[in-house]
Amino acid sequence: MQSALNSPQREAVQYMDGPCLVLAGAGSGKTRVITQKITRLIEVDGYEAKHIAALTFTNKAALEMRERIAKLLKEPKAAKQLTVSTFHSLGVNILRREAAALGLKDRFSIMDSDDCFAIVQDLSATTDKAAIRRMQNHMSLWKNGLISPEQALQEAKDEVEAQAARVYRNYLSTLSSYQAVDFDDLIRLPVELFQRDEAARDRWQRKLRYLLIDEYQDTNTCQYELVKLLVTGPGKKSMFTAVGDDDQAIYAWRGATIENLKTLQTDFPDLKLIKLEQNYRSSTRILQAANAVIENNPKLFEKVLWSEHGLGDPIKVLAMDDEEAEADQVAIMLSAHKFERRAKFSDYAILYRGNHQSRALEKALRRERIPYVMSGGQSFFERSEIKDIISYLRLIANADDDPAFIRAVTTPRRGIGQATLEVLGAFAGQWQCSLFEAVFKGGLEAKLGDRQLEPLRAFCDFINQLESRAARVGAAATGENAAAVLDDMMKEINYEAYLYQTFDDMQAQDKWQNVLDFIDWLKQKGNGGREGEDPEKSLLELTQMVALMSMLEGRDQDPDAVRLSTLHAAKGLEFGHVFMVGVEEGILPHKGDPDAPAASIAARLEEERRLMYVGITRAQRSLTLSWCKKRRRARDSAPCEVSRFIKEMRLEEGNAAPSEEEELTPQDRLAGLKALLQKPKAA
């Protein structure tokens, strides 16, 4: 099993004397270390699979990790007993089991961003969407930093932050009254529980006896505190392996802190440090450029990537007149390169700093008839038709979920309008109860006539019936299953007819197919899913799980298409050939706030440099950089300067081609190649 590992990888897998930090450079095989270490823990060190947890940051990474472990284990079924999940999925599991200790019902709701937006809008009494989003961002960072509303108010730098802190206090109270949590609470609440409840903390320490943390550099304060609470205690030996790379820490804007790498050494003085520096992805020229850029940052740990893949293609740098010329040239070069190499479109990626840069690229790719897909597009679960169905599931799980009630009771329309809901809301406010509960309160008859009240109560009776059946799902005596409840729910609400009444036939057909895919996927999950996944789930567990999903796993194979992606979204991916566009001052590095304190500006520049490093190390065989001499700003064009990061790559030292354009343009080369192939063969 371990013969394929290099020496540092083998050391990381075998080390079992305490806490371990594996400093894994880009493309150095970190996932192999984690999966093989889990296999060793079970098959050599005698750990039961149910006592091991591996934490990562995306559902996709967790799923792939579990599947790889199942293939490595002699008994693949043991993989089902592992906890392999995102931090947030672990948080849901803890909240589900410790709900009573946190003052939550078993059927708490997980609010999505839109639900939370509506709450903040109501509490802040503003319709300024940008201001509401800023408040949401402040509150998210405060939660991730374990900062209370009182602390936030005390530390507010100005009235804008002070107002956000006041809304924060009321926001927490509102969520509590809804018996609901938001995304950040999924980690914050378990941390607060373990900090004050030694018995609960001990239960989970006995359950999770060995912890592995992937992408450790992306953890925020709250996530690190959760890890620490799970692995430390009186007389307890800290058993964990953290795998990360300080050179790929690019998420400070969402609360991740590179300080966690420093703190780890302080909190765990016996920490074993192992470096993985052999890169299995890129050619030498690409790694030389990446090493040259990142050495300009202050180093927590010295590390130099190297490869046995040979020198590789020279790195190209192109100076373009403007963004349209840049997009056209990239599209034509990509087409010519693919034609010449007999490559697939999926071997190529075009990376950029901000989403706004994709517009010109999309136009150019369409013009050249080059298929493409975009990272960071709309999640399947963000589609309106899917959110409609999810609102019913949320309401079945928690009748006190007011946002879900409002969406479900009005979709499809059943004679319940805004005026009726406003009366119901005022009545619920008087009784300090949920909208659902208010429907059955005495005295509502005096506020609403029979024509308004009857459809409300019919709807609530319907939800109660589904809830009663959902609670029995899985009970052998009743023979109920999640699929039957889902089918009856869909039949009753007649959602297909609603779609065809609301949208044109083509849109309705597309939306209805999405709903059918979603229902089928839920049924599959309810029955236990694919090999290596968790056992069958109740409808209530499915509802809480869905709230965490960012994409429908396994819907389609990746198409043969060029990947358009921001640099942030490309982290963790690799491509044969990479084009990085807009590598100029003001874009990469991003200009930021010029009036910020000097320390803040320096920290931002260091993170932008790490972002450049991430972009370079996505490339396996070839890398092309481009920048514009001028770029459109509003209605005018402004001159641009090449990014300082290109100079830092030290391309003049022999690992790059000259920046001047070649004698033959990409158009000429592509035409020549096609003509050559079209020539008749000699007799």
Side-chain angles (χ1 to χ4, degrees), residues 370-651:
I370 297 173
Y372 65 90
V373 292
M374 297 186 69
S375 292
Q378 186 187 39
S379 159
F380 184 81
F381 291 93
E382 289 297 312
R383 296 176 187 273
S384 61
E385 61 271 22
I386 303 304
K387 294 183 83 168
D388 287 343
I389 305 307
I390 289 173
S391 69
Y392 283 86
L393 300 178
R394 284 171 47 186
L395 199 55
I396 292 168
N398 175 13
D400 294 331
D401 188 338
D402 282 354
F405 177 90
I406 292 169
R407 185 167 193 139
V409 80
T410 57
T411 313
R413 291 283 179 186
R414 44 179 57 84
I416 299 167
Q418 188 61 37
T420 300
L421 289 175
E422 286 178 6
V423 173
L424 181 64
F427 185 76
Q430 291 172 5
W431 283 95
Q432 290 295 295
C433 66
S434 68
L435 296 174
F436 192 97
E437 186 181 348
V439 171
F440 296 106
K441 284 279 187 186
L444 185 58
E445 296 86 348
K447 306 285 185 181
L448 291 172
D450 289 345
R451 193 166 60 86
Q452 290 83 27
L453 196 53
E454 283 178 8
L456 276 173
R457 287 186 171 161
F459 172 78
C460 292
D461 284 338
F462 166 60
I463 295 297
N464 277 333
Q465 290 167 15
L466 292 174
E467 185 275 332
S468 178
R469 293 177 62 189
R472 298 198 303 268
V473 165
T478 65
E480 283 280 18
N481 59 70
V485 178
L486 285 166
D487 285 341
D488 289 349
M489 181 187 84
M490 295 305 298
K491 182 179 178 181
E492 181 66 27
I493 67 177
N494 202 14
Y495 191 76
E496 182 181 12
Y498 157 76
L499 289 175
Y500 278 95
Q501 290 164 7
T502 309
F503 303 96
D504 65 48
D505 285 357
M506 188 172 292
Q507 284 181 297
Q509 184 178 1
D510 184 55
K511 288 175 178 290
W512 180 238
Q513 187 59 54
N514 287 335
V515 170
L516 292 176
D517 289 348
F518 176 57
I519 296 297
D520 287 344
W521 178 81
L522 278 177
K523 291 176 182 177
Q524 181 191 36
K525 289 286 185 182
N527 290 330
R530 68 184 81 177
E531 183 66 29
E533 288 190 351
D534 295 334
E536 95 176 60
K537 294 177 173 65
S538 72
L539 190 59
L540 303 179
E541 289 174 323
L542 284 174
T543 301
Q544 291 173 336
M545 179 198 70
V546 164
L548 288 178
M549 302 299 290
S550 59
M551 61 188 295
L552 189 59
E553 295 163 4
R555 262 176 67 76
D556 296 300
Q557 295 295 319
D558 287 337
D560 183 23
V562 174
R563 173 74 62 175
L564 289 183
S565 176
T566 63
L567 289 163
H568 283 99
K571 185 169 170 289
L573 304 178
E574 57 185 45
F575 306 92
H577 311 284
V578 168
F579 291 83
M580 283 177 63
V581 301
V583 189
E584 58 210 48
E585 291 294 308
I587 293 182
L588 185 65
H590 192 262
K591 59 185 177 183
D593 180 6
D595 298 323
S600 176
I601 292 175
R604 178 186 57 77
L605 181 59
E606 288 167 17
E607 177 149 332
E608 291 291 303
R609 187 174 283 115
R610 293 194 290 270
L611 193 58
M612 180 72 178
Y613 174 86
V614 165
I616 294 170
T617 54
R618 298 313 91 197
Q620 296 171 309
R621 296 292 169 264
S622 75
L623 175 64
T624 301
L625 311 172
S626 63
W627 66 282
C628 295
K629 298 173 185 175
K630 62 182 178 182
R631 189 173 291 272
R632 187 176 295 113
R633 301 277 190 268
R635 294 183 179 179
D636 300 320
S637 289
C640 304
E641 294 180 19
V642 64
S643 171
R644 70 192 75 185
F645 297 152
I646 288 181
K647 183 177 181 181
E648 290 176 1
M649 291 168 73
R650 300 207 299 268
L651 301 181

Side-chain angles (χ1 to χ4, degrees), residues 235-254:
K236 177 179 172 61
K237 189 173 186 179
S238 298
M239 298 301 290
F240 70 87
T241 296
V243 181
D245 182 7
D246 52 331
D247 291 334
Q248 296 187 73
I250 59 172
Y251 292 116
W253 52 275
R254 68 183 189 194

